[in-house]
């Protein structure tokens, strides 16, 4: 069921949570008892029953709305139907789930629903192929200025992962490296089998400069710990390497790992990662007979699209510091620029990440660690980016986002107009009762809803809609006046309560005026002759006064 009286299928939202429109229709909590549901149904039935009206037009409007509340009551008053609806929404009710005696608990209902989808999921798995790869092209400005080629070296790697069944995966990959007049490469094949929900095994074979055969097994040791063991044999010199990795979840946002290698080049590495909503960090300490070093980086997200990053690499054969930032340019693509200073010189590093593909282009500016060059390498890109962001990037993205909004609204215009008409009809039948309640509350200085609007309130004033988006009279604003239905919902004690976790577009007299956009409810009201205003999110609870 879509909002505002347009019948259809209620879809699951993020995390599998649907809008619970049926609860909104009857204005009851998801925890409401059978008596609460019956009482709410009777309240609306007194308003929407067709026999209360004489004109054919009003009878038709009442019949449509009465059918909607009747449907909500029939589902929520049936224990098994309500269980299915609470878990999967209307999708579960119309998908063919049998409501026989065997489906007595939510667990049994969920299991039956999953079995019905299993064949479709298996077909998706069989057809699922996921490629990934990275390309690194190193450029040298000093070499180019001396008359040589600008390309210093290149490293390429790519792999394709395919699910041959629900438990079996095949990965084919290869890599190639070129530096100056020398180069090499290797091809790798891997077969992974999921033994159980807690353990898996892998067989790896590689041919080329590093020809080897390996076997790995992984298992969940506990709820927060995972262990991996592996052995590999080199075809070149017969060397045997043993690897062990232990990973543990330290908290909700952090984890740690220990990686031990025994063989021709033994070493041990201890790592740590932490990822929060706006910050992420990682570090690793590695040491062995021939190597010692530490690496780390910290990333801060200034917004949902831009971030800054600092990092360092210190060890027996490396000393490097880098600083920079990046920006998400689409749902799947991110660009980043870093300035790097170290033993090898001063670099600009450009990165493009798209899905599981990655392109990295380091540009060597100079091998001498000159303070002047280092300052210029850091300041010039920052200044150029600030200029482009203000004068080019922001105006472009603002225009593009506005155009997307306009296109989406034009695409859903007929759906929105139909929903608005249904909401208007529902409000017509609520108006008499709402006016009586409003008058009664005003006489005793109680709760009076003076103005209420629902929809996309942020940055969408009427002036902005007309000037920025160029919206004409045929394209309605993304807000809906809901003063009448809210006055109707004020109870006899002078209180208004909207339950948390229920999408407000399902309330009788409401609709979704802007599908796919964030919505809020703004309520202006008076209580004891004092004016107030409150704004709540679409799924947020509200209790007035």
């Amino acid at each position: 069921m879509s909002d505002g009286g347009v019948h259809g299928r209620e879809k699951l939202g993020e995390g599998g949570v649907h809008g619970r429109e049926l609860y909104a229709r009857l204005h009851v909590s998801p925890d409401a008892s059978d008596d609460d549901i019956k009482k709410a149904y009777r309240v609306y039935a007194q308003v929407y029953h067709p026999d209360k009206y004489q004109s054919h037009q009003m009878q038709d409007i009442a019949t449509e709305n009465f059918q909607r509340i009747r449907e909500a009551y029939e589902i929520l008053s049936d224990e098994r139907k309500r269980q299915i609806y609470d878990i999967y929404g209307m999708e579960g009710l119309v998908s063919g789930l049998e409501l026989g005696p065997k489906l007595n608990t939510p667990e049994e209902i969920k299991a039956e629903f999953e079995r019905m989808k299993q064949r479709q999921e298996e077909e998706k798995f069989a057809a699922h192929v996921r490629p990934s790869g990275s390309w690194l092209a190193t450029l040298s400005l000093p070499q180019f200025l001396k008359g040589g080629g600008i390309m210093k070296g290149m490293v390429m790697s790519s792999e394709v992962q395919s699910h041959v069944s629900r438990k079996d995966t095949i990965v084919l990959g290869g890599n190639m490296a070129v530096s100056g007049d020398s180069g090499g490469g290797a091809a790798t094949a891997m077969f992974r089998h999921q033994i159980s929900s807690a353990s898996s095994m892998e067989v790896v074979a590689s041919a080329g400069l590093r020809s080897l055969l390996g076997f790995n097994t992984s298992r969940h040791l506990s709820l927060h710990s995972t262990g991996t063991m592996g052995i590999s044999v080199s075809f070149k010199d017969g060397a045997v390497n043993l690897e062990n990795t232990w990973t543990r979840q330290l908290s909700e946002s952090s984890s740690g790992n220990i990686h031990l290698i025994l063989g021709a080049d033994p070493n041990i590495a201890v790592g740590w990662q932490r990822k929060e909503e706006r910050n992420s960090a990682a570090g690793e300490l590695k040491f062995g007979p021939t190597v010692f070093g530490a690496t780390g980086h910290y990333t801060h997200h200034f917004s949902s699209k831009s971030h800054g990053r600092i990092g360092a690499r210190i060890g027996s054969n490396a000393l490097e510091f880098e600083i920079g930032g990046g920006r998400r340019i689409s749902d799947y693509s991110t660009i980043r620029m870093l300035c790097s200073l170290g033993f090898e010189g001063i670099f600009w590093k450009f990165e493009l990440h798209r899905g599981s593909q990655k392109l990295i282009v380091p540009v060597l500016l100079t091998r001498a660690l000159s303070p002047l060059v280092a300052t210029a390498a850091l300041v010039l890109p920052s200044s150029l980016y600030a200029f482009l962001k203000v004068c080019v990037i922001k105006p472009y993205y603002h225009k593009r986002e506005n155009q997307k909004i306009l296109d989406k609204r034009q695409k859903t215009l007929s759906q929105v107009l139909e929903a608005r008409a249904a909401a208007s009809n529902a409000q017509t039948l609520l108006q008499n009762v709402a006016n009586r309640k409003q008058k009664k509350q005003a006489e005793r200085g109680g709760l009076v809803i003076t103005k209420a609007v629902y929809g996309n309130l942020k940055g969408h004033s009427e002036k902005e809609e007309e000037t920025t988006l160029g919206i004409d009279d045929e394209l309605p604003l993304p807000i809906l006046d809901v003063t009448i239905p809210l006055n109707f919902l004020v109870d006899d004690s002078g209180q208004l309560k909207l339950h948390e976790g229920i999408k407000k577009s399902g309330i009788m007299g409401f609709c979704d005026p802007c599908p796919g956009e964030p919505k809020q409810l703004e309520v202006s009201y008076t209580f004891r002759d004092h004016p107030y205003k409150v704004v709540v999110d679409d799924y947020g609870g509200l209790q007035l006064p």
Side-chain angles (χ1 to χ4, degrees), residues 137-336:
T138 304
L139 309 181
S140 175
L141 187 59
Q143 181 176 296
F144 176 73
L145 295 176
K146 291 179 180 179
I150 195 171
M151 182 69 69
K152 182 182 178 183
M154 177 177 290
V155 178
M156 301 175 61
S157 66
S158 181
E159 71 174 29
V160 176
Q161 177 176 291
S162 177
H163 293 278
V164 295
S165 70
R166 288 183 60 84
K167 294 187 175 181
D168 299 325
T169 303
I170 292 178
V171 180
L172 300 176
N175 62 77
M176 180 186 69
V178 177
S179 180
D181 297 329
S182 61
T188 304
M190 184 188 71
F191 172 77
R192 181 187 299 120
H193 175 70
Q194 193 74 29
I195 301 173
S196 67
S197 60
S199 60
S200 63
M201 55 161 283
E202 296 177 352
V203 178
V204 182
S206 178
L209 290 180
R210 294 186 59 202
S211 300
L212 56 84
L213 179 65
F215 174 81
N216 300 318
T217 180
S218 177
R219 183 174 178 82
H220 293 289
L221 305 177
S222 67
L223 184 62
H224 302 290
S225 302
T226 302
T228 301
M229 298 179 62
I231 183 173
S232 62
V233 180
S234 173
F235 292 146
K236 183 177 181 180
D237 54 11
V240 177
N241 282 339
L242 299 175
E243 295 187 35
N244 285 289
T245 302
W246 297 273
T247 303
R248 181 172 179 80
Q249 193 75 25
L250 303 177
S251 67
E252 292 183 358
S253 59
S254 63
S255 62
N257 65 276
I258 300 175
H259 187 200
L260 174 64
I261 298 179
L262 300 176
D265 186 18
N267 62 78
I268 184 171
V270 179
W272 171 82
Q273 303 85 34
R274 183 177 181 86
K275 187 173 183 180
E276 298 177 336
E277 183 178 358
R278 300 181 67 89
N279 304 301
S280 63
E284 183 182 71
L285 180 63
K286 185 176 182 179
F287 50 91
T290 60
V291 63
F292 174 80
T295 61
H297 65 80
Y298 170 78
T299 302
H300 176 74
H301 291 268
F302 302 106
S303 66
S304 60
K305 292 186 176 181
S306 61
H307 66 271
R309 179 185 175 97
I310 57 174
R313 185 162 60 98
I314 304 172
S316 55
N317 55 3
L319 177 60
E320 181 182 16
F321 299 93
E322 64 180 21
I323 184 171
R327 183 176 180 85
R328 182 167 60 88
I329 57 176
S330 71
D331 292 340
Y332 305 101
S333 302
T334 300
I335 58 173
R336 181 186 295 160

Side-chain angles (χ1 to χ4, degrees), residues 132-137 154-158 357-361:
S132 63
S134 65
W135 291 263
L136 187 148
M154 177 177 290
V155 178
M156 301 175 61
S157 66
S158 181
Q357 308 290 331
K358 182 167 57 176
L359 172 65
I360 303 175
V361 182

